[in-house]
Amino acid sequence: SIGVYDTLHGEPQGEVPWLIPPLKRFFPYSADTVIVSGDEGFGTVQLGKGKARVVPIQLKGVQCVSPLSYARYEKEALLLHLGFEDGSLVICDAARSRPVFQLAQAASGAISGFELVPNLSVGIAATTSGQLLFFDLHSGVLLEEFSAHRGKIQQLCVSASGRYMATAARGGHVRL
């Protein structure tokens, strides 16, 4: 089962039975929904009262065979970023479940983060092998690739102007 907690008061609010095949990872989606990834695919689970049920995420025109390694919902743009263990990446229109950008096994290592730099039409992917990959969002062409850290990039952040970028890795290493 999953423990449901009131994070404002730090108090347990009950438990939700977990009726899902083995869970590998989960990612926040909204205030009461998470994206879950297991051996048999990925989907959303709404947390609350009653039984938790996985609603599979069906992406039109995308065949995903690798487990999910990264997911983030960009609420302002209504985009869902999905990174996979095989280095693939899909950005979806969350309302229509349609890909707006995808790369097939572009990275060496699982995707661990992704940021858009809209004013430059560039996407930046971070990987578990410490690589940063810069893509042209219109053509999907890899513009640049380099090693930023020796291990997994835990966090990737780009300034609103797109001029600055920071990465963080295990051991407290940060690069600007």
Side-chain angles (χ1 to χ4, degrees), residues 17 30 38 105 126 136 149:
S30 67
Q105 300 176 342
D136 179 295
H149 294 275

Side-chain angles (χ1 to χ4, degrees), residues 82-100:
L82 300 170
F84 298 89
E85 288 182 8
D86 68 359
S88 300
L89 175 74
V90 178
I91 302 171
C92 305
D93 176 329
R96 295 184 183 92
S97 293
R98 291 188 181 188
V100 293

Side-chain angles (χ1 to χ4, degrees), residues 140-163:
V141 171
L142 178 65
L143 301 171
E144 186 70 44
E145 177 179 6
F146 65 89
S147 181
H149 294 275
R150 290 185 181 180
K152 179 182 179 181
I153 296 175
Q154 301 281 100
Q155 189 70 38
L156 168 65
C157 184
V158 177
S159 68
S161 69
R163 185 172 180 182

Side-chain angles (χ1 to χ4, degrees), residues 1-174:
S1 65
I2 299 175
V4 179
Y5 291 88
D6 177 342
T7 55
L8 186 61
H9 299 101
E11 299 173 355
Q13 297 297 305
E15 290 187 354
V16 176
W18 194 250
L19 306 172
I20 300 168
L23 172 70
K24 285 191 170 182
R25 296 190 169 122
F26 66 95
F27 309 90
Y29 184 69
S30 67
D32 62 351
T33 305
V34 294
I35 296 173
V36 296
S37 176
D39 292 333
E40 298 179 23
F42 57 95
T44 60
V45 175
Q46 188 165 19
L47 302 174
K49 297 185 181 187
K51 294 181 178 177
R53 181 174 66 91
V54 174
V55 177
I57 296 175
Q58 300 293 329
L59 302 175
K60 297 171 180 136
V62 176
Q63 180 67 27
C64 300
V65 294
S66 178
L68 200 60
S69 62
Y70 170 80
R72 186 178 69 146
Y73 178 57
E74 197 175 321
K75 190 174 184 178
E76 301 80 32
L78 298 175
L79 294 174
L80 182 59
H81 304 177
L82 300 170
F84 298 89
E85 288 182 8
D86 68 359
S88 300
L89 175 74
V90 178
I91 302 171
C92 305
D93 176 329
R96 295 184 183 92
S97 293
R98 291 188 181 188
V100 293
F101 180 78
Q102 66 185 78
L103 295 166
Q105 300 176 342
S108 59
I111 301 294
S112 61
F114 185 80
E115 286 287 335
L116 294 170
V117 187
N119 55 335
L120 299 176
S121 295
V122 170
I124 305 169
T127 71
T128 57
S129 62
Q131 298 294 107
L132 283 174
L133 299 100
F134 296 77
F135 296 97
D136 179 295
L137 292 173
H138 295 293
S139 67
V141 171
L142 178 65
L143 301 171
E144 186 70 44
E145 177 179 6
F146 65 89
S147 181
H149 294 275
R150 290 185 181 180
K152 179 182 179 181
I153 296 175
Q154 301 281 100
Q155 189 70 38
L156 168 65
C157 184
V158 177
S159 68
S161 69
R163 185 172 180 182
Y164 300 102
M165 175 180 59
T167 58
R170 290 191 174 152
H173 300 279
V174 176

